[in-house]
Amino acid sequence: RLRWIRTVDAQLFVVARSQPDTAEELRRRQVRSALALAVGAGGLAASLRMDHASPWFPMAALAVAVVWAGGAWWSGRLHLGRILVDGRLERPIIQPIVLGLALAAVFVAGALLTLRIPALAAQVRDVLGFAQSGSIALLTVTTLLSGIAEELFFRGGLYAAIPRPHQLWLSTVLYVVATVLTGNVMLAFAAAVLGLVTGLQRRATGGVLAPI
């Protein structure tokens, strides 16, 4: 228990490390990230506007995931990140999982509250309609891969393409903008919360493992 508390405490501070891009690498990363952002955001909007019963939705969602992951890889080198635990740098695993479970609980509570507001409940049902119309196993795999790909891009390649000290707020804003294009207000709100939390994880650990 003491070790876990120390891990959480260490996570509150940025572990100093130097992984700067050269000016040329930064410009290349910015151009490539901008292109991937444009294509991925368009694909995300198109996929979530498809008919719930469309058999093409999983393929469309996976295609968007390929764009995010490909954009992250294309942008340049990425780092897994580390946190300081008992004077040693270790990969962040336990603390991000605990934080993720807590965030999931917040979203579940929020979902129960939005059911009382007809307009917001309709937005939530619109997204969940994809789960009700297709294979839950296929949707689970698609969601998992999409989540990993989004973090690789938004908290990886795109985050690194933004000059300091604007990385946290600008990467979050761009994540929200990409989600707003789907036309779903609840997804955009979730993106704002999730983007901020995972952005803080990215800033604190210096890598993409904790956000994923």
Side-chain angles (χ1 to χ4, degrees), residues 17-41:
R17 62 179 62 75
S18 178
Q19 301 169 343
D21 287 333
T22 64
E24 181 181 354
E25 288 174 334
L26 180 60
R27 284 193 299 271
R28 182 168 61 246
R29 193 189 289 273
Q30 289 172 338
V31 171
R32 293 179 177 181
S33 294
L35 290 173
L37 178 63
V39 175

Side-chain angles (χ1 to χ4, degrees), residues 18-100:
S18 178
Q19 301 169 343
D21 287 333
T22 64
E24 181 181 354
E25 288 174 334
L26 180 60
R27 284 193 299 271
R28 182 168 61 246
R29 193 189 289 273
Q30 289 172 338
V31 171
R32 293 179 177 181
S33 294
L35 290 173
L37 178 63
V39 175
L44 180 64
S47 65
L48 288 177
R49 291 174 186 271
M50 297 176 69
D51 184 86
H52 291 164
S54 174
W56 296 104
F57 172 73
M59 296 303 297
L62 287 174
V64 175
V66 169
V67 172
W68 295 140
W73 172 80
W74 192 35
S75 71
R77 57 184 176 172
L78 299 177
H79 303 278
L80 289 176
R82 296 179 185 276
I83 55 175
L84 190 63
V85 181
D86 295 334
R88 301 188 308 275
L89 289 175
E90 297 183 357
R91 298 296 185 194
I93 298 176
I94 297 177
Q95 191 272 350
I97 290 176
V98 173
L99 182 59

Side-chain angles (χ1 to χ4, degrees), residues 186-208:
M186 293 307 296
L187 275 182
F189 176 75
V193 176
L194 186 63
L196 179 60
V197 172
T198 54
L200 288 169
Q201 290 277 286
R202 169 63 173 83
R203 186 176 69 177
T205 64
V208 296

